[in-house]
Amino acid sequence: QGENVVYTYDVTWRYSETAWASRWDVYLSEDHMVPAQVHWYSITNSILVVLFLSLLVVSILVRNLRRDIAGYNAMSALTDEEKEEEAEESGWKLVHADVFRPPHTLPMAFCVLVGSGAQIGTCGMVTIALSAVGFLSPARRGSLMTAILVFYMLCGCLAGYVSSRLYKSFRGRQWQMCTLLTATAFPGLCFAIFVFFNTILAFFRSTASVPFLDLLIVAAMWCCISIPLVFLGAYFGYKAEALSYPTVTSTIARAIPEPTFFMKPSVGISLAGMVPFAAAYVELFFIMTSLWMDQFYYVFGFTFVVYVILLVTCAEVTVLLCYYQLCAENHRWWWFAFFSSGSTAAYTFIYSFFWFQSLEASKMLITYMLYFGYMFLICSGIFLVTGAVGTLTSLWFIRKIFGTIKVD
């Protein structure tokens, strides 16, 4: 103790015939890490899940909807006396006067979450696609993170547009607050948690801490580029015509009958995320390994396919569950659709607890805080993306089916 220890090392430079542009091929091939058959197994597993789910959705919805629409339209052609002789109507047509009623709980927050999800989802799609075709080369360190920040800011226009169109269809009046929350809610949460962890890392004098000047640059980009773009998108969203609905909403909301156990919204929400998670969990393992074990991950072609499959699966599951909720005469489908597809993030967060055991991390408190703090942010982004996809797909589906029937 108390003695200085001097460490030395030698570096030998050797000439290589391999061109600089080709030196990353050894990592791109992944022959020394994970066989390509594992990724193909992941893709095959995901495609089989989507095909099975698609066949299930088509067989149930198309058959039932065709029968329902034909029966409803035939019923509308009868006279009043004939209608009284027919059996009492049942099914999703009964909620035609309430199905497009705005959410009874926090409609502004709903618009903010959907707009933020559309922004993150589009940013992720563009970034992964450009990485897959080779525009974001691994030879340029930091190019992926820079691209994510740039595309996220540019997609702020989409976030403002989507949230404003929804909020206008809900006949909301506080559009300035809605736009401001869309521009600051999720980015503010991410920035606050990042600054908190970065301060702790700087206190421990860790090399993982980010310089204060870089934090100011990110904050300036957020305030001077991202927020104005969100307001620009909201401006065009409020100037556009309001979403048109095929039915007229009544003044008094219809009472919702008591559902059975399996038709309760909480049961559907808790089970809905299982199928999308099962379609992507194999590739998720490699992504988690690259994030937390400093291993290379540059098979973005597989990532893009799995990402698309994840979104398609969320959309199909949500549409199917919303259809059954409407058949049970439950017209409060807005938040149900968002939480049903967004529950995939809950399964991902639970999976992170089991995966943490294989990390063999240190027992320091900061290790647990960093891991679960950043996993919480990642799962929050997944929650917003999948929730927005499920909500917008369900909105399109419900507008379509109610536009095909004749309502008195």
Side-chain angles (χ1 to χ4, degrees):
Q1 296 180 356
E3 295 183 0
N4 294 328
V5 179
V6 179
Y7 293 93
T8 61
Y9 63 93
D10 296 330
V11 178
T12 303
W13 300 96
R14 294 181 181 179
Y15 179 76
S16 176
E17 298 290 343
T18 306
W20 170 256
S22 304
R23 293 183 183 180
W24 284 86
D25 292 346
V26 63
Y27 305 115
L28 297 175
S29 63
E30 274 200 328
D31 292 337
H32 66 295
M33 291 173 51
V34 180
Q37 290 84 351
V38 178
H39 290 282
W40 283 115
Y41 164 75
S42 171
I43 296 295
T44 305
N45 169 69
S46 303
I47 292 177
L48 289 178
V49 171
V50 170
L51 289 179
F52 173 76
L53 187 61
S54 301
L55 292 176
L56 182 65
V57 170
V58 170
S59 62
I60 294 178
L61 291 186
V62 173
R63 182 182 59 189
N64 291 358
L65 284 175
R66 185 177 299 175
R67 183 189 62 218
D68 294 344
I69 293 172
Y72 291 151
N73 290 335
M75 181 71 69
S76 63
L78 300 177
T79 61
D80 295 337
E81 293 79 5
E82 292 174 333
K83 289 181 179 180
E84 294 178 357
E85 296 177 359
E86 294 290 334
E88 183 182 357
E89 286 187 356
S90 62
W92 49 270
K93 184 184 178 182
L94 295 179
V95 297
H96 66 86
D98 301 277
V99 68
F100 296 110
R101 187 182 304 278
H104 67 289
T105 305
L106 302 176
M108 182 188 297
F110 180 83
C111 299
V112 170
L113 295 180
V114 174
S116 300
Q119 179 184 11
I120 302 171
T122 306
C123 169
M125 180 73 72
V126 175
T127 304
I128 297 174
L130 292 179
S131 301
V133 298
F135 280 102
L136 301 178
S137 173
R140 300 172 56 188
R141 300 194 55 160
S143 60
L144 181 61
M145 184 59 65
T146 303
I148 292 176
L149 289 176
V150 171
F151 289 130
Y152 180 78
M153 289 186 299
L154 294 179
C155 291
C157 293
L158 181 63
Y161 183 81
V162 172
S163 64
S164 62
R165 289 295 303 273
L166 269 181
Y167 194 63
K168 185 177 181 180
S169 68
F170 294 163
R171 298 180 180 178
R173 299 183 181 275
Q174 298 178 334
W175 65 269
Q176 299 95 335
M177 180 61 67
C178 179
T179 306
L180 183 62
L181 288 177
T182 305
T184 58
F186 183 73
L189 174 66
C190 295
F191 189 75
I193 293 180
F194 180 76
V195 170
F196 174 72
F197 287 149
N198 190 74
T199 304
I200 296 178
L201 291 174
F203 178 78
F204 281 99
R205 298 184 179 180
S206 171
T207 56
S209 62
V210 178
F212 181 72
L213 179 60
D214 293 347
L215 290 177
L216 290 181
I217 293 175
V218 173
M221 294 170 63
W222 175 29
C223 296
C224 301
I225 300 178
S226 179
I227 294 179
L229 286 178
V230 174
F231 274 87
L232 179 64
Y235 171 79
F236 288 104
Y238 286 114
K239 288 296 182 181
E241 295 183 1
L243 294 175
S244 60
Y245 296 130
T247 60
V248 179
T249 302
S250 61
T251 305
I252 302 176
R254 178 186 177 91
I256 300 175
E258 185 67 24
T260 60
F261 175 77
F262 289 103
M263 293 304 297
K264 289 183 177 180
S266 57
V267 176
I269 291 172
S270 60
L271 298 178
M274 188 181 302
V275 179
F277 176 78
Y281 82 97
V282 177
E283 204 66 27
L284 179 64
F285 171 80
F286 297 108
I287 296 175
M288 295 274 287
T289 303
S290 66
L291 279 176
W292 299 107
M293 291 187 175
D294 294 329
Q295 294 189 11
F296 294 102
Y297 183 88
Y298 295 111
V299 284
F300 290 101
F302 291 101
T303 311
F304 182 78
V305 175
V306 172
Y307 184 71
V308 173
I309 290 174
L310 173 66
L311 299 184
V312 172
T313 308
C314 289
E316 292 178 345
V317 170
T318 309
V319 166
L320 189 62
L321 292 179
C322 284
Y323 170 74
Y324 280 114
Q325 287 295 319
L326 294 179
C327 290
E329 302 179 23
N330 183 6
H331 54 81
R332 296 176 179 176
W333 63 272
W334 295 97
W335 280 111
F336 174 79
F338 191 89
F339 282 111
S340 294
S341 54
S343 62
T344 307
Y347 284 92
T348 306
F349 193 65
I350 295 174
Y351 171 74
S352 68
F353 280 85
F354 294 96
W355 190 89
F356 183 74
Q357 299 176 0
S358 63
L359 190 58
E360 298 181 358
S362 64
K363 302 300 182 180
M364 297 177 61
L365 178 61
I366 184 62
T367 303
Y368 291 85
M369 293 176 60
L370 288 173
Y371 176 81
F372 291 106
Y374 284 127
M375 283 305 304
F376 171 75
L377 284 182
I378 293 173
C379 292
S380 299
I382 296 175
F383 173 71
L384 294 177
V385 173
T386 53
V389 169
T391 300
L392 296 177
T393 308
S394 299
L395 176 60
W396 170 83
F397 169 75
I398 293 174
R399 290 177 65 188
K400 283 292 184 182
I401 64 173
F402 279 92
T404 56
I405 62 174
K406 299 176 182 178
V407 181
D408 298 334

